[in-house]
Amino acid sequence: MKPDTPALFTETALVRRKYRQETVAKWVFFVMAAAMIIPLLLIVGYLMVKAAPSLTLGFLLDVPVRGMTEGGIWPAFVGTIYLVFISLAISAPIGILAAVYLNEYARDNWFNRVINLAVINLAGVPSIVHALFGLGAFVYAARFGYSILSASLTLAIMTLPVIVASTREALASVPRSFREACWNVGATRWQTIRAVVLPNSISGILTGVILQVSRAAGETAPIMFTGAVFYKAIEKGDLFAYGLHEQCMALSMHLYTISTQVPGVKESIPYATAVVLLGSVLLVNAAAIALRVYMRSRTKW
Amino acid sequence: MTTTPYLHRILRLTGTTAVLATALCLSGCGRGEGKDEIIRVSRQSSSGTYEFFREHVLNKKDFKLGSRDMNGSKEVVELIANTPGAIGYSGMGYHEPGRVKMLPVALKAGAPPVEPTVVNTLNKSYPIARSLLIYTLGEPEGEVKRYIDWTLSDAGQKIVETSGYVPLQPNEHRKFDAPAASTGPKVTLQVKGSDTMVNVAQAWAEAYKKVAPHVDVEVSGGGSGQGIAALIKGTIHICNASRNMKAGEIEQAKKNTGKTPKEIVVGYDALAIYVHKDNPIQSITLEQLAGIFAEDGTLTKWSQLAAPAP
Amino acid sequence: MSARPKPGPAPARPQEPSPPAPEAYSFAVRSARRPAWSVWGERALEGAIYLCGISAIIFVLSIFFFVFKEAAPVLVGGEFSLTEFLFSPEWYPTSEENKRYGVLAMLAGTFSVTALAMVLAVPFGLGAAIYISEFCGSKLKETLKIVIELLAAIPSVVWGFVGLTVMSKLIVTYTGAPVGVNILNGGLILALMSVPIIVSIGEDSLKAVPDSYREAGVALGATKWQLVRRVLLPAAKNGLLAAVLLGVGRGVGETMAVLMATGHAVQIPHGILDSVRTLTANIAAELGEAPAGSDHYRVLFLTGVLLFSLTFVVNLGADLVVRGIRKK
């Protein structure tokens, strides 16, 4: 930018234009940022208003009645809990150990770059392809049939790469000097990991795993063909309703079916189901974020 | 940095495109059909309803592409209720009075149009009526038999009626011995198939839980095709179907499982033709339906049906 | 963000649960006295860690293997032609007389919905990333980042439900389209879904530009906008491009939302108010309908292979672009 005026530090037309442009730019970007948030609020607000007549504790604990046109969502809610916990019980250990390998053991050679690439691509595989895989591998090839087991395994593989990524980030945030101090007193690699690295990164790891609760709870496509059913009769409030080799209902699937397939559903019920699904997902996420913010404020390095 | 970065150009380009697209949309150039256009609402191809319609209305010809293929019978009715120019087909159980109307159907031009009612379905005067079927592998036994007996009993048939379909005639009902069925070890019955019947199957499962608490019935939809495919693989106990199994499918089931599929009629359905409630059209013939839906059909406007645009 | 580690502070927690035994004063002695089970246990554990480490490769390969295995027989089966599969818009998987498997219309559907979503999401996403990274204070920044994280967590079936109920009514009212479930609906929903990923990756890549660049710009008297335009965008362009690519990947792979919001009609679209069907929605709607082993079933798996390859290329591209910045 060529200064075209001899007098320094005075406001020239150029400078004024420059600042005007900045103000405009700032507002444009602000509007763009706001444009993402406003729909979120509007949508959540609209869903809440529409759902209000059905949003009671009874709705959560009751079973669907009269051809799923009335009543609650308990079987679907329990089914989702089953799927989420079983899938995370499978993917969390594998994912955490994989991240430990990648962050603590792996050297920067071609093989480990391939592993990295695999993790990234696993994260990008469309959920419907996971469904195809789950159907081909678990339902048919492994003969698990349509079951909670098949669905959970499919979900586990889907959530794995994100757990690996978030755990790696948490492990990488532990300063190297901590490890060096530990090695210097004669600890082996694993002893160092157990005594120093994991205790210092556990909150980050947990946050990553908790965030996957919401991902697993919200997915529909992978479970639609591997173990979620349209309807299953269980007792109201029964927490141990499903066996590992049975199929179950799931919240996400339930929302899909009652909004596309069941006639004469009371208007507020699909909205209320959406709100319960959205609400539990956002609550879990908010908890994870709060945990992260809290732990970050306590970090001593 | 002296050259403009290419990202910059991308940004500018996308910005321009966005503006153009919005302009296009607002000026109404985004095609979309006019008021007179017939909007065809159909079903996904795994549905028994889809196959039944193809066989009995289109004479096995293929559907014209470009119809909105919904995944559930309810979605069909829902879309038609919100779309003045739409026409679609679905089971009579999905009727929503006041939002859509069911058209009387005539066998051919000049023949009297027939309403899809219970009476007309039973006496077969409605041209596109069909049976609601369930299939099992071999003769049903044990808990499966009890369950099926119950669906054919007075209580089970009452549910068919409340779901909006036509129950069997009273003399076809089976006796059901309730106390005998109410005990036993825990069993899971897997039911899968037709979307038309999924609401009946669900209501059965719900009520049967009270009759026999030890039996868990798992109900899945997905379409008659999916149910039959699962039956052939032997992964389910009962298949709901709104069409008959084809000879090839029966062969395959025999080959795969060594058992012959057993067909049981559990009720009847009139395949209803739905239009928007404000559509002035009074009746429709099978030929006209074929003209609208078939691959070589030429009817694309309501005015061609001698009906004013809705 | 992560401050340089200060040398010195000991780990927060004690490393040894019990005080060292007297003979442990010498490191050599102590490691020699470790019981065998401990040494072997550790080896076994490290073996397990290694196995888990390579599990990602195993899973990616087995996904490809299983999906391809189900699809493969149709490729050699004679009647099926790959050219027809890719370039014919006619999709008649269950026809009685003449079965035709052409996914061109679905490809067009996928691309039109994704393209519209990107046209909307890229400017807004990058703009928001720039705002968050450069223009707002730290409090607002934290809040916005949390909101974006929450936005990213909304399940796709909820988005689909919103498209089906709320958005379709709005579209019918404001555009006069006869049917509210169409490309515009799907595109808007997908845009909202892919904005968070574009924002977070975009923000990361802007953050990765060294502060010295900004300082140099400010020292020359540049305003923030000049800084963004002349310094940050060129410096972060690879990261931003990667953000866009990942957004595209998300768009191509999304299933439930487009299944419910795009109207599900097999046709080559002529405008943004036409209904379309996408590759993913097609699989979701028809998978399992044909008995396992039939051509239709295999063609659906082949569509899966196609999708897998598409997203693989997009993600690989994004990764290479990101690696490009790291190298620099």
Side-chain angles (χ1 to χ4, degrees):
Chain A
M1 223 158 283
K2 204 176 87 211
D4 52 359
T5 159
L8 289 172
F9 309 123
T10 52
E11 208 174 50
T12 61
L14 198 66
V15 171
R16 274 197 295 277
R17 210 183 83 204
K18 182 170 99 169
Y19 283 113
R20 222 169 32 237
Q21 273 179 350
E22 173 170 11
T23 319
V24 170
K26 186 174 173 177
W27 279 102
V28 168
F29 288 133
F30 173 74
V31 167
M32 281 175 159
M36 297 179 323
I37 295 161
I38 290 167
L40 175 71
L41 296 179
L42 282 180
I43 288 169
V44 172
Y46 182 80
L47 292 181
M48 292 285 275
V49 169
K50 285 288 226 179
S54 289
L55 275 184
T56 57
L57 189 65
F59 177 70
L60 189 66
L61 296 179
D62 211 348
V63 296
V65 292
R66 296 215 187 96
M68 308 220 294
T69 58
E70 284 170 41
I73 49 168
W74 179 252
F77 192 71
V78 178
T80 293
I81 293 176
Y82 271 61
L83 290 173
V84 167
F85 277 94
I86 296 172
S87 66
L88 285 184
I90 297 163
S91 66
I94 298 182
I96 292 171
L97 289 186
V100 166
Y101 174 76
L102 288 173
N103 203 58
E104 305 291 324
Y105 287 90
R107 293 187 185 80
D108 191 19
N109 57 19
W110 69 269
F111 182 67
N112 293 314
R113 276 201 293 276
V114 170
I115 297 185
N116 269 326
L117 198 63
V119 171
I120 289 168
N121 274 295
L122 197 55
V125 171
S127 55
I128 190 72
V129 176
H130 279 290
L132 290 172
F133 169 64
L135 184 71
F138 300 129
V139 176
Y140 292 152
R143 297 188 180 280
F144 293 148
Y146 301 102
S147 62
I148 292 185
L149 189 60
S150 300
S152 304
L153 284 169
T154 314
L155 281 179
I157 290 181
M158 224 182 79
T159 50
L160 184 70
V162 197
I163 291 185
V164 173
S166 62
T167 308
R168 269 190 86 172
E169 209 168 286
L171 293 176
S173 72
V174 177
R176 190 173 166 78
S177 55
F178 284 25
R179 297 182 182 90
E180 283 164 353
C182 195
W183 294 333
N184 284 340
V185 297
T188 62
R189 228 167 233 280
W190 168 248
Q191 286 172 328
T192 310
I193 292 166
R194 203 197 56 189
V196 176
V197 180
L198 287 182
N200 280 306
S201 56
I202 189 72
S203 65
I205 296 174
L206 267 184
T207 313
V209 172
I210 296 175
L211 284 177
Q212 286 314 294
V213 168
S214 63
R215 175 106 190 276
E219 275 301 336
T220 316
I223 57 173
M224 208 153 85
F225 302 105
T226 50
V229 280
F230 182 86
Y231 176 80
K232 176 163 178 167
I234 71 167
E235 297 290 335
K236 176 177 172 178
D238 183 358
L239 203 48
F240 305 100
Y242 300 117
L244 210 52
H245 282 280
E246 291 171 22
Q247 307 185 72
C248 66
M249 290 174 77
L251 262 188
S252 49
M253 173 85 173
H254 187 63
L255 175 59
Y256 175 65
T257 49
I258 55 175
S259 55
T260 61
Q261 281 160 17
V262 184
V265 180
K266 203 167 111 196
E267 204 210 344
S268 60
I269 283 187
Y271 288 96
T273 311
V275 167
V276 170
L277 180 59
L278 191 63
S280 23
V281 162
L282 292 188
L283 264 184
V284 168
N285 267 40
I289 292 169
L291 174 71
R292 191 178 58 204
V293 170
Y294 174 69
M295 293 313 278
R296 201 181 276 161
S297 69
R298 283 190 38 189
T299 310
K300 291 182 230 54
W301 62 87
Chain B
M1 304 274 169
T2 44
T3 52
T4 323
Y6 64 86
L7 183 98
H8 222 96
R9 260 177 255 160
I10 296 181
L11 270 181
R12 201 171 291 161
L13 198 73
T14 44
T16 326
T17 331
V19 171
L20 277 180
T22 325
L24 208 75
C25 165
L26 290 179
S27 65
C29 290
R31 206 176 84 153
E33 295 86 342
K35 274 241 168 319
D36 193 30
E37 201 86 31
I38 298 177
I39 295 169
R40 289 165 286 137
V41 185
S42 182
R43 292 291 313 279
Q44 94 279 16
S45 54
S46 59
S47 136
T49 315
Y50 171 98
E51 299 224 352
F52 182 86
F53 193 84
R54 186 174 64 195
E55 197 167 332
H56 292 89
V57 179
L58 308 186
N59 293 320
K60 302 196 178 180
K61 278 183 292 197
D62 281 314
F63 279 84
K64 204 190 304 182
L65 290 179
S67 56
R68 270 95 180 158
D69 304 338
M70 298 292 122
N71 293 307
S73 304
K74 180 210 180 178
E75 231 183 335
V76 171
V77 177
E78 199 65 29
L79 185 66
I80 294 170
N82 292 324
T83 314
I87 183 167
Y89 56 90
S90 224
M92 63 195 287
Y94 287 84
H95 185 42
E96 294 197 25
R99 299 187 65 208
V100 291
K101 69 176 184 185
M102 302 201 273
L103 284 185
V105 179
L107 199 53
K108 51 180 178 286
V114 185
E115 297 259 7
T117 58
V118 174
V119 178
N120 294 340
T121 309
L122 279 175
N123 66 18
K124 308 258 191 286
S125 60
Y126 186 70
I128 37 181
R130 55 185 173 161
S131 308
L132 301 176
L133 307 166
I134 57 182
Y135 285 95
T136 55
L137 279 176
E139 280 295 328
E141 295 165 346
E143 291 293 346
V144 179
K145 180 169 169 18
R146 279 186 192 159
Y147 177 70
I148 291 174
D149 282 349
W150 177 79
T151 61
L152 296 172
S153 71
D154 293 340
Q157 288 298 309
K158 181 84 191 145
I159 288 173
V160 174
E161 195 180 345
T162 50
S163 299
Y165 296 107
V166 182
L168 301 175
Q169 298 286 36
N171 58 2
E172 293 171 310
H173 289 194
R174 289 197 194 167
K175 282 266 186 310
F176 181 71
D177 186 10
S182 58
T183 50
K186 193 167 147 52
V187 215
T188 304
L189 294 185
Q190 299 192 325
V191 182
K192 194 180 179 74
S194 167
D195 276 327
T196 307
M197 290 169 68
V198 78
N199 56 343
V200 185
Q202 189 274 333
W204 276 336
E206 194 183 312
Y208 196 62
K209 186 79 185 162
K210 296 198 182 74
V211 179
H214 65 290
V215 181
D216 284 345
V217 185
E218 295 175 352
V219 182
S220 315
S224 304
Q226 276 201 8
I228 291 171
L231 191 76
I232 290 173
K233 287 194 92 65
T235 54
I236 55 170
H237 298 103
I238 296 170
C239 160
N240 296 327
S242 55
R243 64 169 170 89
N244 295 87
M245 267 177 97
K246 296 172 195 159
E249 290 169 338
I250 293 174
E251 276 312 305
Q252 233 180 339
K254 272 188 207 160
K255 210 175 71 191
N256 261 10
T257 61
K259 293 176 192 160
T260 318
K262 164 98 175 141
E263 178 184 304
I264 299 153
V265 179
V266 292
Y268 304 99
D269 174 37
L271 184 61
I273 307 299
Y274 290 101
V275 291
H276 190 261
K277 67 171 169 31
D278 296 330
N279 196 324
I281 188 166
Q282 287 307 319
S283 69
I284 198 160
T285 66
L286 287 186
E287 283 156 22
Q288 284 172 328
L289 280 174
I292 292 171
F293 280 98
E295 196 180 8
D296 54 0
T298 51
L299 300 178
T300 57
K301 299 202 173 351
W302 287 106
S303 47
Q304 288 171 305
L305 294 179
Chain C
M1 258 297 297
S2 57
R4 273 284 181 79
K6 282 186 235 99
R13 260 145 263 200
Q15 300 164 26
E16 288 295 329
S18 56
E23 67 266 32
Y25 291 122
S26 150
F27 160 66
V29 169
R30 192 170 166 220
S31 79
R33 293 274 174 94
R34 274 182 76 198
W37 63 264
S38 160
V39 175
W40 286 106
E42 190 171 307
R43 289 227 182 122
L45 203 78
E46 288 184 340
I49 289 179
Y50 180 72
L51 263 185
C52 290
I54 59 171
S55 66
I57 297 188
I58 300 174
F59 288 139
V60 169
L61 289 181
S62 58
I63 287 180
F64 189 79
F65 170 75
F66 273 105
V67 177
F68 191 76
K69 187 189 88 172
E70 297 290 323
V74 79
L75 290 173
V76 292
E79 267 182 49
F80 175 82
S81 108
L82 199 61
T83 351
E84 189 198 306
F85 176 68
L86 289 176
F87 299 110
S88 157
E90 297 193 345
W91 176 256
Y92 287 107
T94 54
S95 167
E96 305 238 328
E97 301 147 354
N98 181 12
K99 291 192 171 52
R100 281 151 288 176
Y101 306 103
V103 294
L104 186 68
M106 265 90 84
L107 268 173
T110 292
F111 281 116
S112 55
V113 174
T114 311
L116 179 68
M118 287 306 120
V119 163
L120 297 169
V122 167
F124 278 85
L126 293 186
I130 292 171
Y131 184 78
I132 290 174
S133 166
E134 305 299 324
F135 284 95
C136 68
S138 65
K139 265 268 169 59
L140 185 58
K141 186 172 178 167
E142 278 305 303
T143 323
L144 284 175
K145 286 176 83 167
I146 288 174
V147 170
I148 282 158
E149 215 166 311
L150 293 179
L151 196 63
I154 298 182
S156 62
V157 67
V158 172
W159 280 122
F161 179 69
V162 168
L164 191 68
T165 54
V166 185
M167 204 72 92
S168 73
K169 272 184 204 129
L170 291 179
I171 287 176
V172 170
T173 321
Y174 289 108
T175 66
V179 177
V181 278
N182 50 28
I183 297 182
L184 181 62
N185 193 336
L188 280 170
I189 294 287
L190 258 193
L192 282 168
M193 291 181 75
S194 46
V195 148
I197 196 167
I198 295 181
V199 175
S200 63
I201 309 272
E203 205 253 342
D204 278 351
S205 64
L206 285 171
K207 205 168 67 188
V209 177
D211 273 346
S212 56
Y213 283 35
R214 294 186 179 82
E215 285 153 8
V218 171
L220 287 174
T223 61
K224 280 227 170 115
W225 165 238
Q226 288 171 326
L227 203 63
V228 166
R229 204 182 129 170
R230 304 281 179 193
V231 180
L232 295 178
L233 285 186
K237 65 183 180 213
N238 280 0
L240 298 180
L241 193 64
V244 173
L245 281 178
L246 287 175
V248 170
R250 172 104 208 230
V252 170
E254 179 47 48
T255 310
M256 290 317 285
V258 290
L259 175 65
M260 292 163 87
T262 55
H264 219 64
V266 184
Q267 59 179 349
I268 308 258
H270 293 82
I272 60 170
L273 296 181
D274 275 357
S275 298
V276 290
R277 190 189 291 193
T278 65
L279 289 171
T280 47
N282 187 49
I283 302 178
E286 297 188 351
L287 176 62
E289 118 190 9
S294 72
D295 278 359
H296 183 197
Y297 173 86
R298 300 206 184 289
V299 170
L300 287 176
F301 273 83
L302 194 63
T303 321
V305 173
L306 183 67
L307 267 173
F308 184 82
S309 321
L310 270 179
T311 49
F312 188 85
V313 169
V314 170
N315 286 314
L316 193 67
D319 186 55
L320 290 179
V321 168
V322 171
R323 203 163 285 277
I325 11 171
R326 290 235 187 90
K327 283 270 160 60
K328 250 195 332 199

